[in-house]
Amino acid sequence: MTTTSHTSALDAVLSHIDTTLDASVERLFSLLRIPSISTQPSHAADCREAAEWLQADMASMGLTADIREVRWAAPGHPMVVAHDTTQAGKPHVLFYGHYDVQPTDPENLWKAPPFEPRLVEEPSGRKVIVARGASDDKGQVMTFLEACRAWKTVHGSIPVQVSVLLEGEEECGGSNLLPFLQENAAELKADVALVCDTSMADRQTPGITTSLRGMMAEEIIIECASHDLHSGIYGNAAANPIALLCQILASLRDADGRVTLPGFYDGIQDPSPETRAQWKTLFPDDAALLEEAGLSVAAGEKDYTAIEQTWCRPSCEINGISGGYEGEGFKTVLPAKAMAKVSFRLVPGQEPDKIRETFRAHVNAALPADAKVTFTAHGGSPGFEVSRDSRFLAPTLKALTDEWGIPAATIGCGGSIPVAGEVRDALGLDALMVGFAQSDDRIHSPNEQYGLDSFHKGVRSWARIIASLADAG
Amino acid sequence: MTTTSHTSALDAVLSHIDTTLDASVERLFSLLRIPSISTQPSHAADCREAAEWLQADMASMGLTADIREVRWAAPGHPMVVAHDTTQAGKPHVLFYGHYDVQPTDPENLWKAPPFEPRLVEEPSGRKVIVARGASDDKGQVMTFLEACRAWKTVHGSIPVQVSVLLEGEEECGGSNLLPFLQENAAELKADVALVCDTSMADRQTPGITTSLRGMMAEEIIIECASHDLHSGIYGNAAANPIALLCQILASLRDADGRVTLPGFYDGIQDPSPETRAQWKTLFPDDAALLEEAGLSVAAGEKDYTAIEQTWCRPSCEINGISGGYEGEGFKTVLPAKAMAKVSFRLVPGQEPDKIRETFRAHVNAALPADAKVTFTAHGGSPGFEVSRDSRFLAPTLKALTDEWGIPAATIGCGGSIPVAGEVRDALGLDALMVGFAQSDDRIHSPNEQYGLDSFHKGVRSWARIIASLADAG
C-alpha cells in the first residue's frame, strides 16, 4: 500500500471505531468486572480469569494467543502472549500492558463498588469510566486491542506485525517479567516495544514518554552510645545519632538545591533547547506542576524549572527518618541510634553503583569516632532514555499529532517503569511509552477513572500509530 | 555546747550508729517491703502505707509527725511532715526525700523479688542492699532519719531544729509539691533545705550538688505538601519537610559544638578555676564520664571537658525525630510532614522563655515559602545554683570530708531535680543536695541496689552534718 491508500484505509478504521464505541466500552467493562488484584493471594484466581479473558478476546479477533505460566517467583500470575505476524517484512511491534490492578482500600471512599464499572457524566459534561483498573491499566490495554480489532474487522489484517505481552504482576512488584523476557527472547523479539501505561503530556497534549528516572536507595542506621541515655546526665557530651544524621542529610544538598556528592552530575546531558521549550509550553510556570500538591516553589536546582527538576534532573530525597522518642508528650532520651531512608532518582548517564559508593564514602567521612553506620541497599537501576535516533519516534509523534490536533510532545517521567529497561536489556528494543491517562485519573486511589475521551481517542491513536509505523519499515 | 563538746557528743552518736547498724538496716528493709509504686493506681494503698510507716517511725523517735493530704492533682499520694524544733535559736533544716518508687518492670530481669530486700555480698566483698527503692530514695531517706534517731537516743535531742518533708509523687511527675509548699510555707520555712536524692561525686568522694540544669523543650512539626507525594513524580521539585527539618536541626550547632542561637550563652558564668580543678580530679579525662555509655569523645563545645559540658554548660539535643516511611524495606514517599522533639538543658543565667522565642524565630527564618511549622512547648525551667555565699555550704562540706577522708566536692548535675527550684521559689531556701548513691546503683532498673557502705556512712555523714550545722548559726 502507498501512503495514500493507507490514509483511506485508516479513515475506514477510524470510522469503524467511532461507530462501534459502545461495544468497545462494553468489552472493557467485562474486563473491569474481574477483581484481578495481584498482591492479594485471595484474588489469584481472578488474576488468572483476567488473563484468560484477554487470551480469549485476542483469539476471537484472530491472533494466536496463549496463557503462559511463570515460575521464577511468587505470586506467579500468568502472562498472556499473542501474535499476528502475517505481514512479513513490515515493522514488528511488541505491545506491553498489564491486567492486574491495585487493592481497593479504603473501600468506604468509593462512591460505587470498585469492580462494577460505570459511565459517569462529570459536571463539565465529560464522561468518565469509573472502576478499579479503568485507567491503570485495563483501559489503556484495551485501547490497543480495540485498534487491532478494528483493523482486523475492517481490512482483515493489521498492517504491521504485532506481538502482545500482558503481565499480571505489575502492581505487586513481581520479578517474573525479566526472566520471562529473557527465556522467550527469540519469540518476543520485535523492532520496537510499545508500552501503554503512562499519561498524556497534559489534558490536551498527547505525548511519548522518552525518558524515565532510575533510582538508588539506601537505608542508613547511625549508632553511638551502647544504650539509650538520659539527656540530663549525658546531654552535650555524648554523641547524638539523630544530630549526626541531620548533619549528614543536610549536607547532601547545597543552598542552590544541588546535590553535593562529588561527581554526582557527571555524564548527564541537558535536554535539547527544543525539548525545554516544548516543556515550557506544557508547564508555563512551576505552579502548573506543584499546585496539585499544595505547593508553589520549585525546591530543586535553581537553574531548572520544576518540570525539568522532575523529568530530567536527578534528585536526592529523604523518604523516612526515625529516632528517639516519637510519641505523645516529651521524653528526654538521648537515643543510641537513628535511621533514615534516602533515595536518589537517577537520569541517564549516572551509574547507580558508583553513586552508592560515593554516598557511603560521604557518610563515613562525616562520622566522628564514637559513631558507626550500617548501610542497607535498596534498589539500584539506571535512568532510561529512548535513543533519539529511533526511526519509530517521528511516525508515532506524527500519528498522535494527527489525532489530537496538537503537536505531540516528548516528555519525561520522574519515576521508574521497570518494563522499559527490562525490554531493552532482554530484547534490545527501544520502548515508546504512549498513554492516554490524565493526572486526575486517581490511579491507585478510590474512584479511579478513565475519560471516555481518553479511551475513544486512545483507540483511534493506536489505529493511526499502526498505520504510521507500517510505513516506517 | 562548744565545738569541743559537740565533737565528743558526735563521737558518741557515731559510735551508737556503728553498734546499731543491723537494727537500722532492718528498719530500712521494713520500709522497702512496701511496694509504693506511685505511678500505678493499684499501688495507691501501698503508697499510703509507706507514708504511715514513716509517720509512725518519726513519731517513735519523738518528732511530731503527720500525714498530710494533697488535693491539687492526681494521684494525690500524701505528704509526711515532721518537726523537732525544740532547739530554739539553732539553725533550722528542712529535710526532703520521697517514699515512692519506680515500677519494677521488666520483672523477669530481677534476680529476686523487688520488694523482698536482701543483703548481697558482691565478688569484691562489698555488701549491697538489693530492692526497688533501696537507693532511690528509701535508703537515702533513712540515712537522715537514722542519724536523727541516733542523736535523740544518745543525747535526747537533735542539736539543730529539724523539719522533714517526704513526698510520694516524685517518681510519677506529680504536681502537688509546689502548691503544698506554697500553702504551708509558714510551717515549712527553715534556714536551709537538705535534699537526699543524688549521688556521690565518685565512688570515694562525697559531694554536694550545687547546680542543676533547667530545660526548655519544643516539639516542631514541619508541613509542606497537602498530602504525601510520590517521589518519582515530585522528587526534587517539591519541598521535603524531612530535609528542611534536618537542615534546621543541623544548623543549631556549629562545627565546634557551640549552639548557634543568638544570645544563647548570654549571662552564663564559668565555674571557678578551683571548681574546674576539682572536677578534673574527679574526671581526669572525658572517657571517665563517657565509657559507661560506650563512648570516648566529648561531643559538645571544644573548650570544655565532658563533665563540664554536662554539669555547667547548656546543651541542645534532638530527643526524637520522625517522618515518612519508617518501616521495613523502602517506600519512595515524599512525605507531607516531619516532626522533631528538641530540648535545651539550661544553666543559671539563661532565660527559658527568651531562648524558646529565639529558637522559634530561628526555625521560622529558615523555612521556605512552601513550608509551615507548628510548635508545641514542653517544659521551661531555669537552671539552679546554690548561692556561693550560703553559710551552710562550708560546714556541710567539712562534715562530709571528715567522714569520708577525702575532700568533699561541689558538683553539678546535668538533669533537673524540681524540688530544688520549688523549695527556693516557695520558701526562699537554698537546697543543699547531699546523697550517697553510686552511678551503678541501677536506680529505675532491675536489681536496684544501695551499698551497705553508702547507707552506713550516709547515716554517719548526716550525724556529722547535723553537728556541723549546729555551729553554723
PDB file of all heavy atoms in Angstrom, chain A residues 230-255:
ATOM      1  N   HIS A 230      20.167   9.108  79.318  1.00  0.00           N
ATOM      2  CA  HIS A 230      19.372  10.202  79.871  1.00  0.00           C
ATOM      3  C   HIS A 230      20.040  11.505  79.449  1.00  0.00           C
ATOM      4  O   HIS A 230      21.229  11.700  79.691  1.00  0.00           O
ATOM      5  CB  HIS A 230      19.335  10.075  81.392  1.00  0.00           C
ATOM      6  CG  HIS A 230      18.377  11.016  82.061  1.00  0.00           C
ATOM      7  ND1 HIS A 230      18.563  12.372  82.080  1.00  0.00           N
ATOM      8  CD2 HIS A 230      17.215  10.797  82.719  1.00  0.00           C
ATOM      9  CE1 HIS A 230      17.560  12.945  82.735  1.00  0.00           C
ATOM     10  NE2 HIS A 230      16.722  12.004  83.125  1.00  0.00           N
ATOM     11  N   SER A 231      19.274  12.381  78.813  1.00  0.00           N
ATOM     12  CA  SER A 231      19.895  13.595  78.278  1.00  0.00           C
ATOM     13  C   SER A 231      20.328  14.547  79.392  1.00  0.00           C
ATOM     14  O   SER A 231      21.130  15.449  79.160  1.00  0.00           O
ATOM     15  CB  SER A 231      18.957  14.287  77.296  1.00  0.00           C
ATOM     16  OG  SER A 231      17.986  15.046  77.972  1.00  0.00           O
ATOM     17  N   GLY A 232      19.812  14.354  80.614  1.00  0.00           N
ATOM     18  CA  GLY A 232      20.292  15.172  81.724  1.00  0.00           C
ATOM     19  C   GLY A 232      21.720  14.800  82.096  1.00  0.00           C
ATOM     20  O   GLY A 232      22.573  15.647  82.294  1.00  0.00           O
ATOM     21  N   ILE A 233      21.968  13.514  82.145  1.00  0.00           N
ATOM     22  CA  ILE A 233      23.287  13.048  82.574  1.00  0.00           C
ATOM     23  C   ILE A 233      24.325  13.212  81.471  1.00  0.00           C
ATOM     24  O   ILE A 233      25.453  13.608  81.716  1.00  0.00           O
ATOM     25  CB  ILE A 233      23.191  11.570  83.017  1.00  0.00           C
ATOM     26  CG1 ILE A 233      22.218  11.460  84.192  1.00  0.00           C
ATOM     27  CG2 ILE A 233      24.567  11.024  83.386  1.00  0.00           C
ATOM     28  CD1 ILE A 233      21.888  10.040  84.597  1.00  0.00           C
ATOM     29  N   TYR A 234      23.935  12.929  80.236  1.00  0.00           N
ATOM     30  CA  TYR A 234      24.918  12.896  79.151  1.00  0.00           C
ATOM     31  C   TYR A 234      24.758  14.001  78.103  1.00  0.00           C
ATOM     32  O   TYR A 234      25.620  14.176  77.251  1.00  0.00           O
ATOM     33  CB  TYR A 234      24.857  11.542  78.444  1.00  0.00           C
ATOM     34  CG  TYR A 234      25.424  10.405  79.262  1.00  0.00           C
ATOM     35  CD1 TYR A 234      24.596   9.537  79.962  1.00  0.00           C
ATOM     36  CD2 TYR A 234      26.800  10.210  79.334  1.00  0.00           C
ATOM     37  CE1 TYR A 234      25.129   8.489  80.714  1.00  0.00           C
ATOM     38  CE2 TYR A 234      27.341   9.175  80.077  1.00  0.00           C
ATOM     39  CZ  TYR A 234      26.499   8.309  80.772  1.00  0.00           C
ATOM     40  OH  TYR A 234      27.030   7.291  81.500  1.00  0.00           O
ATOM     41  N   GLY A 235      23.632  14.716  78.175  1.00  0.00           N
ATOM     42  CA  GLY A 235      23.333  15.665  77.108  1.00  0.00           C
ATOM     43  C   GLY A 235      24.399  16.722  76.936  1.00  0.00           C
ATOM     44  O   GLY A 235      24.680  17.435  77.887  1.00  0.00           O
ATOM     45  N   ASN A 236      24.960  16.847  75.761  1.00  0.00           N
ATOM     46  CA  ASN A 236      26.037  17.760  75.380  1.00  0.00           C
ATOM     47  C   ASN A 236      27.292  16.961  75.104  1.00  0.00           C
ATOM     48  O   ASN A 236      27.960  17.205  74.114  1.00  0.00           O
ATOM     49  CB  ASN A 236      26.359  18.797  76.469  1.00  0.00           C
ATOM     50  CG  ASN A 236      26.510  20.195  75.903  1.00  0.00           C
ATOM     51  OD1 ASN A 236      26.162  20.418  74.757  1.00  0.00           O
ATOM     52  ND2 ASN A 236      27.016  21.110  76.699  1.00  0.00           N
ATOM     53  N   ALA A 237      27.617  16.037  76.017  1.00  0.00           N
ATOM     54  CA  ALA A 237      28.906  15.334  75.940  1.00  0.00           C
ATOM     55  C   ALA A 237      28.831  14.049  75.125  1.00  0.00           C
ATOM     56  O   ALA A 237      29.829  13.620  74.559  1.00  0.00           O
ATOM     57  CB  ALA A 237      29.408  15.024  77.349  1.00  0.00           C
ATOM     58  N   ALA A 238      27.645  13.436  75.084  1.00  0.00           N
ATOM     59  CA  ALA A 238      27.523  12.174  74.347  1.00  0.00           C
ATOM     60  C   ALA A 238      27.064  12.449  72.921  1.00  0.00           C
ATOM     61  O   ALA A 238      26.168  13.259  72.699  1.00  0.00           O
ATOM     62  CB  ALA A 238      26.527  11.252  75.048  1.00  0.00           C
ATOM     63  N   ALA A 239      27.691  11.780  71.976  1.00  0.00           N
ATOM     64  CA  ALA A 239      27.313  11.944  70.572  1.00  0.00           C
ATOM     65  C   ALA A 239      25.842  11.564  70.395  1.00  0.00           C
ATOM     66  O   ALA A 239      25.392  10.552  70.912  1.00  0.00           O
ATOM     67  CB  ALA A 239      28.198  11.075  69.693  1.00  0.00           C
ATOM     68  N   ASN A 240      25.116  12.409  69.663  1.00  0.00           N
ATOM     69  CA  ASN A 240      23.684  12.193  69.435  1.00  0.00           C
ATOM     70  C   ASN A 240      23.490  11.723  67.989  1.00  0.00           C
ATOM     71  O   ASN A 240      23.740  12.482  67.050  1.00  0.00           O
ATOM     72  CB  ASN A 240      22.930  13.496  69.694  1.00  0.00           C
ATOM     73  CG  ASN A 240      21.426  13.354  69.545  1.00  0.00           C
ATOM     74  OD1 ASN A 240      20.940  12.629  68.683  1.00  0.00           O
ATOM     75  ND2 ASN A 240      20.687  14.053  70.393  1.00  0.00           N
ATOM     76  N   PRO A 241      23.079  10.468  67.800  1.00  0.00           N
ATOM     77  CA  PRO A 241      22.987   9.949  66.427  1.00  0.00           C
ATOM     78  C   PRO A 241      21.955  10.675  65.570  1.00  0.00           C
ATOM     79  O   PRO A 241      22.126  10.748  64.351  1.00  0.00           O
ATOM     80  CB  PRO A 241      22.611   8.477  66.627  1.00  0.00           C
ATOM     81  CG  PRO A 241      21.992   8.423  67.987  1.00  0.00           C
ATOM     82  CD  PRO A 241      22.656   9.487  68.801  1.00  0.00           C
ATOM     83  N   ILE A 242      20.898  11.223  66.195  1.00  0.00           N
ATOM     84  CA  ILE A 242      19.926  11.983  65.382  1.00  0.00           C
ATOM     85  C   ILE A 242      20.591  13.244  64.860  1.00  0.00           C
ATOM     86  O   ILE A 242      20.437  13.608  63.692  1.00  0.00           O
ATOM     87  CB  ILE A 242      18.671  12.366  66.189  1.00  0.00           C
ATOM     88  CG1 ILE A 242      17.992  11.144  66.788  1.00  0.00           C
ATOM     89  CG2 ILE A 242      17.692  13.127  65.298  1.00  0.00           C
ATOM     90  CD1 ILE A 242      16.741  11.491  67.614  1.00  0.00           C
ATOM     91  N   ALA A 243      21.359  13.909  65.729  1.00  0.00           N
ATOM     92  CA  ALA A 243      22.028  15.136  65.302  1.00  0.00           C
ATOM     93  C   ALA A 243      23.036  14.848  64.188  1.00  0.00           C
ATOM     94  O   ALA A 243      23.123  15.597  63.207  1.00  0.00           O
ATOM     95  CB  ALA A 243      22.715  15.799  66.496  1.00  0.00           C
ATOM     96  N   LEU A 244      23.779  13.746  64.333  1.00  0.00           N
ATOM     97  CA  LEU A 244      24.738  13.384  63.280  1.00  0.00           C
ATOM     98  C   LEU A 244      24.019  13.098  61.969  1.00  0.00           C
ATOM     99  O   LEU A 244      24.442  13.523  60.895  1.00  0.00           O
ATOM    100  CB  LEU A 244      25.543  12.156  63.709  1.00  0.00           C
ATOM    101  CG  LEU A 244      26.507  12.377  64.872  1.00  0.00           C
ATOM    102  CD1 LEU A 244      27.110  11.051  65.328  1.00  0.00           C
ATOM    103  CD2 LEU A 244      27.612  13.350  64.477  1.00  0.00           C
ATOM    104  N   LEU A 245      22.905  12.367  62.083  1.00  0.00           N
ATOM    105  CA  LEU A 245      22.129  12.035  60.893  1.00  0.00           C
ATOM    106  C   LEU A 245      21.646  13.314  60.208  1.00  0.00           C
ATOM    107  O   LEU A 245      21.747  13.460  58.980  1.00  0.00           O
ATOM    108  CB  LEU A 245      20.941  11.161  61.314  1.00  0.00           C
ATOM    109  CG  LEU A 245      20.158  10.435  60.238  1.00  0.00           C
ATOM    110  CD1 LEU A 245      21.057   9.505  59.444  1.00  0.00           C
ATOM    111  CD2 LEU A 245      19.031   9.620  60.875  1.00  0.00           C
ATOM    112  N   CYS A 246      21.139  14.252  60.997  1.00  0.00           N
ATOM    113  CA  CYS A 246      20.645  15.506  60.428  1.00  0.00           C
ATOM    114  C   CYS A 246      21.776  16.270  59.731  1.00  0.00           C
ATOM    115  O   CYS A 246      21.588  16.827  58.650  1.00  0.00           O
ATOM    116  CB  CYS A 246      20.019  16.377  61.513  1.00  0.00           C
ATOM    117  SG  CYS A 246      18.421  15.752  62.081  1.00  0.00           S
ATOM    118  N   GLN A 247      22.945  16.296  60.372  1.00  0.00           N
ATOM    119  CA  GLN A 247      24.073  16.990  59.752  1.00  0.00           C
ATOM    120  C   GLN A 247      24.439  16.350  58.415  1.00  0.00           C
ATOM    121  O   GLN A 247      24.665  17.031  57.416  1.00  0.00           O
ATOM    122  CB  GLN A 247      25.286  16.960  60.687  1.00  0.00           C
ATOM    123  CG  GLN A 247      25.226  18.000  61.791  1.00  0.00           C
ATOM    124  CD  GLN A 247      26.123  17.644  62.956  1.00  0.00           C
ATOM    125  OE1 GLN A 247      27.066  16.868  62.818  1.00  0.00           O
ATOM    126  NE2 GLN A 247      25.824  18.191  64.123  1.00  0.00           N
ATOM    127  N   ILE A 248      24.475  15.037  58.405  1.00  0.00           N
ATOM    128  CA  ILE A 248      24.850  14.332  57.173  1.00  0.00           C
ATOM    129  C   ILE A 248      23.802  14.553  56.083  1.00  0.00           C
ATOM    130  O   ILE A 248      24.127  14.870  54.936  1.00  0.00           O
ATOM    131  CB  ILE A 248      25.031  12.825  57.460  1.00  0.00           C
ATOM    132  CG1 ILE A 248      26.297  12.612  58.274  1.00  0.00           C
ATOM    133  CG2 ILE A 248      25.055  12.025  56.174  1.00  0.00           C
ATOM    134  CD1 ILE A 248      26.432  11.215  58.861  1.00  0.00           C
ATOM    135  N   LEU A 249      22.539  14.415  56.453  1.00  0.00           N
ATOM    136  CA  LEU A 249      21.472  14.557  55.452  1.00  0.00           C
ATOM    137  C   LEU A 249      21.393  15.996  54.949  1.00  0.00           C
ATOM    138  O   LEU A 249      21.160  16.236  53.764  1.00  0.00           O
ATOM    139  CB  LEU A 249      20.132  14.107  56.045  1.00  0.00           C
ATOM    140  CG  LEU A 249      20.068  12.618  56.457  1.00  0.00           C
ATOM    141  CD1 LEU A 249      18.717  12.301  57.099  1.00  0.00           C
ATOM    142  CD2 LEU A 249      20.314  11.702  55.264  1.00  0.00           C
ATOM    143  N   ALA A 250      21.604  16.949  55.862  1.00  0.00           N
ATOM    144  CA  ALA A 250      21.558  18.359  55.451  1.00  0.00           C
ATOM    145  C   ALA A 250      22.706  18.689  54.506  1.00  0.00           C
ATOM    146  O   ALA A 250      22.590  19.593  53.677  1.00  0.00           O
ATOM    147  CB  ALA A 250      21.599  19.260  56.679  1.00  0.00           C
ATOM    148  N   SER A 251      23.796  17.942  54.616  1.00  0.00           N
ATOM    149  CA  SER A 251      24.970  18.249  53.780  1.00  0.00           C
ATOM    150  C   SER A 251      24.850  17.683  52.374  1.00  0.00           C
ATOM    151  O   SER A 251      25.719  17.905  51.540  1.00  0.00           O
ATOM    152  CB  SER A 251      26.235  17.688  54.434  1.00  0.00           C
ATOM    153  OG  SER A 251      26.274  16.268  54.304  1.00  0.00           O
ATOM    154  N   LEU A 252      23.787  16.949  52.087  1.00  0.00           N
ATOM    155  CA  LEU A 252      23.672  16.310  50.770  1.00  0.00           C
ATOM    156  C   LEU A 252      23.253  17.278  49.668  1.00  0.00           C
ATOM    157  O   LEU A 252      23.396  16.973  48.496  1.00  0.00           O
ATOM    158  CB  LEU A 252      22.680  15.145  50.834  1.00  0.00           C
ATOM    159  CG  LEU A 252      23.141  13.924  51.636  1.00  0.00           C
ATOM    160  CD1 LEU A 252      22.013  12.905  51.760  1.00  0.00           C
ATOM    161  CD2 LEU A 252      24.361  13.275  50.977  1.00  0.00           C
ATOM    162  N   ARG A 253      22.709  18.423  50.059  1.00  0.00           N
ATOM    163  CA  ARG A 253      22.340  19.435  49.064  1.00  0.00           C
ATOM    164  C   ARG A 253      22.909  20.766  49.493  1.00  0.00           C
ATOM    165  O   ARG A 253      22.967  21.060  50.685  1.00  0.00           O
ATOM    166  CB  ARG A 253      20.819  19.587  48.975  1.00  0.00           C
ATOM    167  CG  ARG A 253      20.105  18.534  48.167  1.00  0.00           C
ATOM    168  CD  ARG A 253      18.635  18.922  48.127  1.00  0.00           C
ATOM    169  NE  ARG A 253      17.813  17.947  47.465  1.00  0.00           N
ATOM    170  CZ  ARG A 253      17.424  18.034  46.178  1.00  0.00           C
ATOM    171  NH1 ARG A 253      17.810  19.050  45.432  1.00  0.00           N
ATOM    172  NH2 ARG A 253      16.639  17.119  45.660  1.00  0.00           N
ATOM    173  N   ASP A 254      23.278  21.593  48.533  1.00  0.00           N
ATOM    174  CA  ASP A 254      23.745  22.936  48.888  1.00  0.00           C
ATOM    175  C   ASP A 254      22.580  23.919  48.838  1.00  0.00           C
ATOM    176  O   ASP A 254      21.430  23.535  48.577  1.00  0.00           O
ATOM    177  CB  ASP A 254      24.922  23.373  47.995  1.00  0.00           C
ATOM    178  CG  ASP A 254      24.513  23.557  46.545  1.00  0.00           C
ATOM    179  OD1 ASP A 254      23.289  23.669  46.251  1.00  0.00           O
ATOM    180  OD2 ASP A 254      25.409  23.593  45.687  1.00  0.00           O
ATOM    181  N   ALA A 255      22.889  25.176  49.105  1.00  0.00           N
ATOM    182  CA  ALA A 255      21.824  26.175  49.204  1.00  0.00           C
ATOM    183  C   ALA A 255      21.108  26.390  47.871  1.00  0.00           C
ATOM    184  O   ALA A 255      19.982  26.891  47.833  1.00  0.00           O
ATOM    185  CB  ALA A 255      22.406  27.500  49.709  1.00  0.00           C
TER     186      ALA A 255
END
